Amino acid sequence: MRAFHGHDTMPTDTLAARRNTDRPDALAAAWVFGYGSLIYKADFPYLERRPARIRGWARRFWQGSHDHRGTPQAPGRVVTLVAEPDAVCAGMAYLVTPDVFRHLDHREKNGYLRQATELCFGDGGRAQGLVYIAGADNAAFLGPAPEREIARHIAAASGPSGSNRDYLLQLAAALRELGEHDPHVAGIEAHLLALEDDAPRAP
Ligand code: BEZ
């Protein structure tokens, strides 16, 4: 959100310039970048929703899920971000009020911390935002494994939020809908579908 100071030039369209500042709840709003289930499922109110990308982070199914797509006894595998200098991660950005961060902090309490990042929008615009990342030092972190092994793991897991399989397939579909290709997600999805094709069916 931009404020105009004495030395700035006021744009001729003051209605447009005021669009954000005349919404009281927008005064404290911030962008949150979603790269997992947040892409397709926003269970919170938002002021704006825009496809976006962040640089320097790669999406990986390296985080254990004890409370959504698995259980403490049999954790599922969900996405986190891993620092990779040349990587670009595509997702969805939401402009939200601070109460939404309280909601997300609670929803994503299984290892995720907020971190500042720069968002790049499709029209070339940029903004500072926050993203939830589960680092290698959290107790639920599972780390890398071959994609076929990750697919086997996901095929077998489920938790209070549903099957781990549906989480993967919904994420893969949401990325396709955005016109984005993530080789890691697409590779695991292909393995999972192949495993299901190979599985013996009930007579
Ligand atoms: C997301 O869907 O982007 C997300 C992933 C982990 C924690 C919070 C949000």
Side-chain angles (χ1 to χ4, degrees), residues 33-39 79 107-108 112 132:
F33 178 77
Y35 58 93
S37 60
L38 274 191
I39 296 180
V79 288
R107 192 183 103 172
E108 304 302 341
Y112 292 88
Y132 285 81

Side-chain angles (χ1 to χ4, degrees), residues 3-91:
F4 290 97
H5 301 292
H7 54 273
D8 285 335
T9 308
M10 176 74 85
T12 46
D13 181 358
T14 48
L15 265 186
R18 211 187 297 124
R19 198 180 304 135
N20 279 331
T21 57
D22 64 3
R23 289 181 300 188
D25 56 351
L27 290 174
W31 288 99
V32 59
F33 178 77
Y35 58 93
S37 60
L38 274 191
I39 296 180
Y40 58 86
K41 181 179 168 225
D43 57 353
F44 50 81
Y46 53 83
L47 299 159
E48 281 185 58
R49 178 182 191 263
R50 298 177 72 182
R53 293 194 170 91
I54 60 172
R55 293 193 166 278
W57 294 100
R59 180 178 12 238
R60 294 288 179 261
F61 270 89
W62 290 5
Q63 173 67 2
S65 176
H66 296 194
D67 55 355
H68 286 295
R69 302 293 174 159
T71 63
Q73 293 73 32
R77 263 193 188 256
V78 291
V79 288
T80 184
L81 294 178
V82 177
E84 227 182 80
D86 296 329
V88 175
C89 179

